[in-house]
Amino acid sequence: MLDYALIFLIIALIAGFFGFRGVASTSKSIAKILFGIFLVFFLLSLIFGRA
């Protein structure tokens, strides 16, 4: 899942560089959501993995 977040972040950076603001903002939003989900799953695995 972190891979997808990084891919969307790269797409957002490239789209922002070339001036495609709609694509850049959409990709940035998707990357933020995926990264947030990744962090939640990571923290849950840290908490419940030790039990």
Side-chain angles (χ1 to χ4, degrees):
M1 187 172 304
L2 186 59
D3 295 334
Y4 290 133
L6 290 175
I7 289 170
F8 278 110
L9 178 64
I10 291 170
I11 289 172
L13 290 174
I14 292 171
F17 179 74
F18 287 117
F20 299 112
R21 293 187 180 171
V23 175
S25 66
T26 303
S27 297
K28 181 187 74 161
S29 298
I30 293 172
K32 282 174 55 175
I33 291 169
L34 288 175
F35 187 71
I37 292 171
F38 169 76
L39 281 179
V40 168
F41 284 151
F42 177 70
L43 291 175
L44 287 175
S45 69
L46 282 179
I47 292 169
F48 294 117
R50 294 179 187 257

